[in-house]
Amino acid sequence: MQVLFFGSPGVGKGTQAKIISERLNLKHISTGDILRDIIKKETELGQQIKALIDKGNLVPDNMIGEIVKETISQSNNNFILDGYPRTVPQIAVLEKILQEMDIPFPQIVILDALDEIIIERLTSRRLCNSCGNIISLLKMAEPETCPKCNSKAGFTRREDDREEVISKRLQIFHETTEPVVSHYRKNYEPIIIDGTLPKGEVTQSIIDGLVKEPVSS
Ligand code: AMP
């Protein structure tokens, strides 16, 4: 199975893509995660990418196409692509990659939400310093303990989850990525889900849309 995952920053796209990839045994290809891994290596390329991401800008199309191609080639043609294509030129790059690899055109999932809800979610999003689990301060009665690994190592805010950067990311989403989403809405039949529903309901609606046979949890 092949899936393209869309949604504005903070709608829960990464979280849902991770859950769905585990449930359906697909490779989760997150271009944001791949870029953050490159940054960790502290190379010159990593520094260039960090400077762009920290300010809420996109990285140039030519930096990311090859990375996506290589990762798809390691996926056994079973993947969720989360974060790509994000610009109109990337649509054509992806189509070429799929054609060259003889991969059928993916199913498309779009998670919808209003900007106000996104801003509230992202400003309260943190990552566990021990296991990397994503938590929301809005939903935690005891914000010092990670609900997943029970660590008290604390939480870190992504540099690009600061309010001014969030506004920039949303602006870029509306200007640059929304035309991509509109293209797929117009020319294909995407599965459109309300991203503000409870997490479990969003997951189930996506799975129901993607697979016709029941999937064991
Ligand atoms: P994400 O984790 O998907 O929100 O991505 C984090 C950041 O990585 C984005 O704000 C961009 O700076 C960069 N990024 C991720 N995917 C792409 C892409 N397809 N094209 C350009 N930049 C990207």
Side-chain angles (χ1 to χ4, degrees):
M1 179 187 286
Q2 305 79 26
V3 184
L4 300 187
F5 231 73
F6 291 101
S8 51
V11 72
K13 174 175 64 75
T15 307
Q16 290 295 340
K18 192 165 181 292
I19 297 171
I20 304 290
S21 61
E22 283 163 9
R23 292 272 297 274
L24 301 184
N25 207 11
L26 306 170
K27 185 177 174 78
H28 177 203
I29 305 176
S30 155
T31 46
D33 284 351
I34 294 171
L35 293 168
R36 282 184 286 276
D37 282 344
I38 296 175
I39 292 173
K40 279 190 207 139
K41 290 184 190 137
E42 292 184 355
T43 57
E44 198 179 315
L45 174 67
Q47 282 170 4
Q48 284 170 17
I49 293 173
K50 182 172 173 9
L52 292 164
I53 290 186
D54 282 357
K55 291 202 177 80
N57 292 310
L58 295 181
V59 307
D61 292 337
N62 60 0
M63 269 193 195
I64 195 131
E66 275 304 310
I67 296 174
V68 169
K69 185 173 177 183
E70 188 168 331
T71 321
I72 289 181
S73 73
Q74 297 158 358
S75 71
N76 218 4
N77 293 358
N78 267 309
F79 60 84
I80 291 184
L81 191 48
D82 158 17
Y84 194 94
R86 220 161 167 134
T87 66
V88 169
Q90 290 179 10
I91 297 176
V93 176
L94 178 66
E95 271 176 24
K96 188 158 175 270
I97 293 172
L98 296 174
Q99 268 168 16
E100 278 173 11
M101 293 190 196
D102 212 11
I103 296 175
F105 197 81
Q107 298 191 71
I108 296 166
V109 174
I110 300 173
L111 295 187
D112 259 349
L114 294 172
D115 282 6
E116 300 87 85
I117 296 171
I118 298 292
I119 291 169
E120 190 186 33
R121 275 191 183 186
L122 283 182
T123 47
S124 52
R125 179 164 79 170
R126 299 288 184 278
L127 305 178
C128 170
N129 288 336
S130 179
C131 70
N133 178 37
I134 300 169
I135 59 112
S136 167
L137 296 179
L138 294 172
K139 293 187 193 142
M140 283 180 62
E142 209 193 335
E144 61 275 359
T145 310
C146 173
K148 190 171 177 199
C149 71
N150 286 323
S151 159
K152 290 189 188 299
F155 301 97
T156 305
R157 176 152 69 171
R158 266 171 52 170
E159 196 53 31
D160 57 349
D161 279 347
R162 287 179 294 118
E163 203 151 344
E164 62 277 22
V165 182
I166 293 168
S167 306
K168 178 79 178 288
R169 288 166 68 200
L170 283 169
Q171 184 200 340
I172 291 184
F173 175 78
H174 291 306
E175 286 172 10
T176 314
T177 307
E178 232 164 46
V180 178
V181 179
S182 302
H183 164 81
Y184 289 119
R185 276 185 199 256
K186 211 164 76 194
N187 297 297
Y188 299 87
E189 282 181 23
I191 299 157
I192 301 172
I193 312 282
D194 177 356
T196 61
L197 291 171
K199 195 161 119 184
E201 275 181 47
V202 174
T203 306
Q204 200 51 52
S205 307
I206 297 170
I207 291 184
D208 291 346
L210 288 172
V211 259
K212 307 302 163 224
E213 305 89 38
V215 175
S216 55
S217 45

Short mmCIF file of all heavy atoms in Angstrom, two decimals, residues 7-10 13-14 30-36 39 49-50 52-61 63-65 68 82-87 90 122 125 158 160-161 165 169 172 177, ligand 1:
data_model
loop_
_atom_site.label_atom_id
_atom_site.label_comp_id
_atom_site.label_asym_id
_atom_site.label_seq_id
_atom_site.Cartn_x
_atom_site.Cartn_y
_atom_site.Cartn_z
N GLY A 7 -1.67 17.59 5.79
CA GLY A 7 -2.33 18.32 6.87
C GLY A 7 -1.43 19.46 7.26
O GLY A 7 -0.22 19.39 7.06
N SER A 8 -2.04 20.51 7.82
CA SER A 8 -1.20 21.65 8.20
C SER A 8 -0.30 21.25 9.35
O SER A 8 -0.55 20.27 10.03
CB SER A 8 -2.07 22.85 8.54
OG SER A 8 -3.05 22.48 9.45
N PRO A 9 0.78 22.04 9.60
CA PRO A 9 1.68 21.71 10.69
C PRO A 9 0.89 21.63 11.99
O PRO A 9 0.07 22.51 12.25
CB PRO A 9 2.66 22.89 10.73
CG PRO A 9 2.35 23.76 9.59
CD PRO A 9 1.12 23.29 8.92
N GLY A 10 1.09 20.58 12.76
CA GLY A 10 0.45 20.49 14.07
C GLY A 10 -0.94 19.87 14.09
O GLY A 10 -1.54 19.73 15.14
N LYS A 13 -0.60 15.13 11.96
CA LYS A 13 -0.21 14.36 10.77
C LYS A 13 0.90 13.35 11.10
O LYS A 13 0.79 12.17 10.78
CB LYS A 13 0.24 15.39 9.73
CG LYS A 13 0.82 14.88 8.46
CD LYS A 13 1.08 16.05 7.51
CE LYS A 13 2.12 17.05 8.01
NZ LYS A 13 3.51 16.61 7.93
N GLY A 14 1.97 13.83 11.75
CA GLY A 14 3.10 12.95 12.07
C GLY A 14 2.69 11.84 13.02
O GLY A 14 3.04 10.67 12.82
N SER A 30 8.85 10.27 6.88
CA SER A 30 8.55 11.65 7.26
C SER A 30 9.74 12.51 6.84
O SER A 30 10.85 12.34 7.36
CB SER A 30 8.36 11.74 8.78
OG SER A 30 8.64 13.05 9.23
N THR A 31 9.51 13.41 5.90
CA THR A 31 10.64 14.23 5.44
C THR A 31 11.14 15.14 6.57
O THR A 31 12.34 15.38 6.68
CB THR A 31 10.25 15.07 4.20
OG1 THR A 31 8.98 15.67 4.44
CG2 THR A 31 10.19 14.21 2.96
N GLY A 32 10.23 15.58 7.46
CA GLY A 32 10.65 16.39 8.61
C GLY A 32 11.60 15.59 9.51
O GLY A 32 12.64 16.09 9.92
N ASP A 33 11.25 14.33 9.79
CA ASP A 33 12.10 13.48 10.65
C ASP A 33 13.45 13.23 9.97
O ASP A 33 14.50 13.25 10.62
CB ASP A 33 11.44 12.11 10.92
CG ASP A 33 10.32 12.22 11.95
OD1 ASP A 33 10.18 13.29 12.57
OD2 ASP A 33 9.59 11.22 12.13
N ILE A 34 13.42 12.98 8.66
CA ILE A 34 14.68 12.72 7.94
C ILE A 34 15.59 13.95 8.04
O ILE A 34 16.78 13.85 8.32
CB ILE A 34 14.40 12.36 6.45
CG1 ILE A 34 13.66 11.02 6.37
CG2 ILE A 34 15.70 12.30 5.64
CD1 ILE A 34 13.14 10.68 4.97
N LEU A 35 14.98 15.13 7.85
CA LEU A 35 15.79 16.36 7.92
C LEU A 35 16.32 16.58 9.35
O LEU A 35 17.47 16.98 9.53
CB LEU A 35 14.95 17.56 7.46
CG LEU A 35 14.58 17.54 5.97
CD1 LEU A 35 13.51 18.58 5.66
CD2 LEU A 35 15.81 17.75 5.10
N ARG A 36 15.50 16.30 10.35
CA ARG A 36 15.97 16.45 11.75
C ARG A 36 17.10 15.47 12.05
O ARG A 36 18.03 15.79 12.78
CB ARG A 36 14.80 16.30 12.73
CG ARG A 36 13.93 17.57 12.82
CD ARG A 36 12.84 17.45 13.86
NE ARG A 36 11.76 16.58 13.43
CZ ARG A 36 10.74 16.98 12.66
NH1 ARG A 36 10.63 18.24 12.27
NH2 ARG A 36 9.80 16.13 12.30
N ILE A 39 20.22 16.95 10.66
CA ILE A 39 20.69 18.04 11.53
C ILE A 39 21.52 17.48 12.69
O ILE A 39 22.56 18.03 13.05
CB ILE A 39 19.50 18.87 12.07
CG1 ILE A 39 18.84 19.63 10.93
CG2 ILE A 39 19.92 19.81 13.19
CD1 ILE A 39 17.55 20.36 11.31
N ILE A 49 20.35 23.21 6.88
CA ILE A 49 18.96 22.78 7.03
C ILE A 49 18.37 23.31 8.33
O ILE A 49 17.24 23.80 8.38
CB ILE A 49 18.86 21.23 6.95
CG1 ILE A 49 19.22 20.75 5.55
CG2 ILE A 49 17.48 20.74 7.35
CD1 ILE A 49 19.33 19.26 5.38
N LYS A 50 19.18 23.25 9.41
CA LYS A 50 18.70 23.73 10.72
C LYS A 50 18.31 25.21 10.66
O LYS A 50 17.28 25.63 11.18
CB LYS A 50 19.78 23.50 11.78
CG LYS A 50 19.35 23.93 13.18
CD LYS A 50 20.40 23.50 14.21
CE LYS A 50 20.18 23.99 15.60
NZ LYS A 50 19.00 24.64 16.01
N LEU A 52 17.23 26.89 8.21
CA LEU A 52 15.95 27.06 7.50
C LEU A 52 14.78 26.60 8.36
O LEU A 52 13.79 27.32 8.53
CB LEU A 52 15.96 26.26 6.19
CG LEU A 52 16.92 26.76 5.11
CD1 LEU A 52 17.14 25.70 4.04
CD2 LEU A 52 16.36 28.03 4.47
N ILE A 53 14.89 25.40 8.92
CA ILE A 53 13.77 24.82 9.69
C ILE A 53 13.48 25.66 10.93
O ILE A 53 12.32 25.92 11.25
CB ILE A 53 14.09 23.35 10.07
CG1 ILE A 53 14.06 22.47 8.82
CG2 ILE A 53 13.08 22.84 11.11
CD1 ILE A 53 14.20 20.99 9.09
N ASP A 54 14.53 26.09 11.64
CA ASP A 54 14.33 26.85 12.89
C ASP A 54 13.55 28.14 12.64
O ASP A 54 12.89 28.65 13.53
CB ASP A 54 15.67 27.18 13.56
CG ASP A 54 16.23 25.96 14.28
OD1 ASP A 54 15.55 24.93 14.31
OD2 ASP A 54 17.35 26.07 14.83
N LYS A 55 13.64 28.66 11.43
CA LYS A 55 12.91 29.90 11.13
C LYS A 55 11.54 29.62 10.51
O LYS A 55 10.81 30.54 10.15
CB LYS A 55 13.73 30.77 10.17
CG LYS A 55 14.98 31.34 10.80
CD LYS A 55 15.44 32.58 10.03
CE LYS A 55 16.65 33.22 10.67
NZ LYS A 55 17.91 32.54 10.32
N GLY A 56 11.22 28.35 10.31
CA GLY A 56 9.91 28.00 9.75
C GLY A 56 9.90 27.95 8.23
O GLY A 56 8.85 27.80 7.63
N ASN A 57 11.10 28.08 7.59
CA ASN A 57 11.15 28.03 6.12
C ASN A 57 11.23 26.58 5.62
O ASN A 57 11.65 25.69 6.36
CB ASN A 57 12.39 28.78 5.62
CG ASN A 57 12.27 30.26 5.88
OD1 ASN A 57 11.25 30.87 5.54
ND2 ASN A 57 13.29 30.85 6.49
N LEU A 58 10.88 26.39 4.35
CA LEU A 58 11.05 25.08 3.74
C LEU A 58 12.49 24.92 3.27
O LEU A 58 13.17 25.91 3.00
CB LEU A 58 10.13 24.92 2.53
CG LEU A 58 8.62 24.93 2.79
CD1 LEU A 58 7.86 24.74 1.48
CD2 LEU A 58 8.21 23.86 3.78
N VAL A 59 12.96 23.67 3.17
CA VAL A 59 14.27 23.47 2.54
C VAL A 59 14.07 23.42 1.02
O VAL A 59 12.98 23.08 0.56
CB VAL A 59 14.99 22.19 3.06
CG1 VAL A 59 15.09 22.17 4.57
CG2 VAL A 59 14.30 20.94 2.59
N PRO A 60 15.11 23.77 0.24
CA PRO A 60 14.91 23.83 -1.22
C PRO A 60 14.51 22.47 -1.80
O PRO A 60 14.94 21.43 -1.32
CB PRO A 60 16.29 24.25 -1.74
CG PRO A 60 17.01 24.80 -0.58
CD PRO A 60 16.45 24.17 0.65
N ASP A 61 13.66 22.53 -2.85
CA ASP A 61 13.15 21.31 -3.49
C ASP A 61 14.28 20.34 -3.88
O ASP A 61 14.16 19.14 -3.71
CB ASP A 61 12.36 21.67 -4.76
CG ASP A 61 11.05 22.39 -4.43
OD1 ASP A 61 10.56 22.23 -3.29
OD2 ASP A 61 10.55 23.12 -5.30
N MET A 63 17.05 19.76 -2.55
CA MET A 63 17.72 19.06 -1.44
C MET A 63 16.94 17.83 -1.02
O MET A 63 17.48 16.92 -0.42
CB MET A 63 17.79 19.98 -0.20
CG MET A 63 19.02 20.82 -0.09
SD MET A 63 19.07 21.51 1.58
CE MET A 63 20.30 22.77 1.35
N ILE A 64 15.64 17.82 -1.32
CA ILE A 64 14.80 16.81 -0.69
C ILE A 64 14.36 15.69 -1.65
O ILE A 64 14.12 14.56 -1.22
CB ILE A 64 13.60 17.50 -0.01
CG1 ILE A 64 12.90 16.55 0.95
CG2 ILE A 64 12.61 18.08 -0.95
CD1 ILE A 64 12.67 17.17 2.27
N GLY A 65 14.34 15.98 -2.96
CA GLY A 65 13.86 14.98 -3.94
C GLY A 65 14.64 13.67 -3.88
O GLY A 65 14.05 12.59 -3.82
N VAL A 68 13.92 11.58 -0.79
CA VAL A 68 12.63 10.89 -0.86
C VAL A 68 12.75 9.66 -1.78
O VAL A 68 12.30 8.57 -1.44
CB VAL A 68 11.53 11.85 -1.37
CG1 VAL A 68 10.25 11.11 -1.70
CG2 VAL A 68 11.25 12.92 -0.32
N ASP A 82 4.88 11.27 4.51
CA ASP A 82 4.36 12.30 5.41
C ASP A 82 5.24 13.55 5.27
O ASP A 82 6.38 13.55 5.70
CB ASP A 82 4.37 11.71 6.83
CG ASP A 82 4.38 12.72 7.95
OD1 ASP A 82 4.05 13.89 7.71
OD2 ASP A 82 4.71 12.33 9.08
N GLY A 83 4.71 14.57 4.61
CA GLY A 83 5.49 15.81 4.46
C GLY A 83 6.00 16.05 3.06
O GLY A 83 6.77 16.98 2.83
N TYR A 84 5.60 15.23 2.12
CA TYR A 84 6.05 15.37 0.72
C TYR A 84 4.95 14.84 -0.20
O TYR A 84 4.40 13.79 0.09
CB TYR A 84 7.34 14.56 0.52
CG TYR A 84 8.05 14.90 -0.78
CD1 TYR A 84 9.07 15.85 -0.80
CD2 TYR A 84 7.71 14.27 -1.96
CE1 TYR A 84 9.73 16.16 -1.98
CE2 TYR A 84 8.35 14.58 -3.14
CZ TYR A 84 9.37 15.52 -3.15
OH TYR A 84 10.03 15.84 -4.32
N PRO A 85 4.62 15.53 -1.28
CA PRO A 85 5.13 16.82 -1.74
C PRO A 85 4.53 17.98 -0.95
O PRO A 85 3.39 17.91 -0.50
CB PRO A 85 4.69 16.87 -3.20
CG PRO A 85 3.52 15.97 -3.30
CD PRO A 85 3.65 14.94 -2.23
N ARG A 86 5.32 19.03 -0.81
CA ARG A 86 4.91 20.19 -0.02
C ARG A 86 4.93 21.46 -0.86
O ARG A 86 4.54 22.52 -0.38
CB ARG A 86 5.91 20.33 1.11
CG ARG A 86 5.32 20.70 2.43
CD ARG A 86 6.35 20.33 3.47
NE ARG A 86 6.11 20.84 4.75
CZ ARG A 86 6.21 20.11 5.86
NH1 ARG A 86 6.47 18.82 5.78
NH2 ARG A 86 6.04 20.66 7.01
N THR A 87 5.42 21.36 -2.08
CA THR A 87 5.39 22.50 -3.00
C THR A 87 4.90 21.98 -4.35
O THR A 87 5.01 20.77 -4.62
CB THR A 87 6.79 23.11 -3.21
OG1 THR A 87 7.61 22.13 -3.89
CG2 THR A 87 7.46 23.50 -1.90
N GLN A 90 7.31 19.89 -6.33
CA GLN A 90 7.55 18.54 -5.76
C GLN A 90 6.52 17.52 -6.24
O GLN A 90 6.78 16.32 -6.24
CB GLN A 90 7.56 18.60 -4.23
CG GLN A 90 8.78 19.32 -3.65
CD GLN A 90 8.77 19.42 -2.13
OE1 GLN A 90 7.96 18.80 -1.45
NE2 GLN A 90 9.70 20.20 -1.58
N LEU A 122 0.16 23.46 18.89
CA LEU A 122 1.61 23.48 18.69
C LEU A 122 2.35 24.18 19.82
O LEU A 122 3.45 23.78 20.19
CB LEU A 122 1.98 24.14 17.35
CG LEU A 122 1.76 23.28 16.12
CD1 LEU A 122 2.21 24.01 14.87
CD2 LEU A 122 2.51 21.96 16.22
N ARG A 125 2.87 21.66 22.50
CA ARG A 125 3.48 20.37 22.14
C ARG A 125 4.91 20.28 22.69
O ARG A 125 5.68 21.24 22.60
CB ARG A 125 3.51 20.26 20.61
CG ARG A 125 4.14 18.97 20.12
CD ARG A 125 3.82 18.70 18.68
NE ARG A 125 4.63 19.47 17.75
CZ ARG A 125 4.63 19.26 16.43
NH1 ARG A 125 3.85 18.34 15.91
NH2 ARG A 125 5.38 19.99 15.63
N ARG A 158 10.17 21.84 20.39
CA ARG A 158 10.86 22.00 19.12
C ARG A 158 11.06 23.48 18.86
O ARG A 158 10.16 24.28 19.11
CB ARG A 158 10.01 21.39 17.98
CG ARG A 158 10.36 19.97 17.66
CD ARG A 158 9.39 19.31 16.71
NE ARG A 158 9.13 20.04 15.47
CZ ARG A 158 8.46 19.52 14.45
NH1 ARG A 158 8.00 18.29 14.51
NH2 ARG A 158 8.23 20.23 13.36
N ASP A 160 10.96 25.04 16.24
CA ASP A 160 9.98 25.58 15.29
C ASP A 160 8.55 25.52 15.84
O ASP A 160 7.59 25.75 15.11
CB ASP A 160 10.08 24.90 13.91
CG ASP A 160 9.93 23.40 13.95
OD1 ASP A 160 9.95 22.82 15.04
OD2 ASP A 160 9.81 22.80 12.86
N ASP A 161 8.38 25.21 17.13
CA ASP A 161 7.06 25.28 17.75
C ASP A 161 6.89 26.57 18.56
O ASP A 161 5.95 26.70 19.34
CB ASP A 161 6.81 24.07 18.67
CG ASP A 161 6.38 22.83 17.88
OD1 ASP A 161 6.05 22.96 16.70
OD2 ASP A 161 6.37 21.73 18.46
N VAL A 165 7.31 31.32 14.98
CA VAL A 165 7.69 30.38 13.91
C VAL A 165 6.44 29.62 13.42
O VAL A 165 6.28 29.35 12.23
CB VAL A 165 8.78 29.38 14.40
CG1 VAL A 165 9.20 28.45 13.28
CG2 VAL A 165 9.99 30.14 14.93
N ARG A 169 5.13 29.11 9.72
CA ARG A 169 4.88 27.79 9.12
C ARG A 169 3.46 27.71 8.56
O ARG A 169 3.24 27.13 7.49
CB ARG A 169 5.11 26.68 10.15
CG ARG A 169 6.59 26.49 10.46
CD ARG A 169 6.79 25.65 11.71
NE ARG A 169 6.40 24.27 11.52
CZ ARG A 169 6.11 23.44 12.54
NH1 ARG A 169 6.17 23.87 13.78
NH2 ARG A 169 5.78 22.20 12.29
N ILE A 172 3.35 29.71 5.34
CA ILE A 172 3.96 28.95 4.24
C ILE A 172 3.04 27.82 3.81
O ILE A 172 2.87 27.53 2.63
CB ILE A 172 5.35 28.41 4.64
CG1 ILE A 172 6.32 29.58 4.76
CG2 ILE A 172 5.86 27.37 3.65
CD1 ILE A 172 7.74 29.20 5.07
N THR A 177 1.82 25.01 0.34
CA THR A 177 1.38 23.61 0.37
C THR A 177 -0.10 23.46 0.06
O THR A 177 -0.52 22.45 -0.52
CB THR A 177 1.74 22.95 1.73
OG1 THR A 177 3.13 23.18 1.97
CG2 THR A 177 1.48 21.46 1.74
P1 AMP B 1 7.44 18.60 9.64
O1 AMP B 1 8.02 17.76 10.72
O2 AMP B 1 6.74 17.79 8.56
O3 AMP B 1 6.58 19.72 10.17
O4 AMP B 1 8.69 19.31 8.88
C1 AMP B 1 9.55 20.16 9.58
C2 AMP B 1 10.26 21.09 8.62
O5 AMP B 1 11.05 20.32 7.70
C3 AMP B 1 9.37 21.95 7.76
O6 AMP B 1 8.92 23.11 8.42
C4 AMP B 1 10.33 22.27 6.61
O7 AMP B 1 11.25 23.26 6.99
C5 AMP B 1 11.09 20.97 6.42
N1 AMP B 1 10.46 20.08 5.42
C6 AMP B 1 9.81 18.91 5.65
N2 AMP B 1 9.34 18.38 4.50
C7 AMP B 1 9.68 19.25 3.52
C8 AMP B 1 9.49 19.28 2.10
N3 AMP B 1 8.81 18.30 1.46
N4 AMP B 1 10.00 20.32 1.41
C9 AMP B 1 10.67 21.30 2.02
N5 AMP B 1 10.89 21.36 3.35
C10 AMP B 1 10.42 20.34 4.10
#
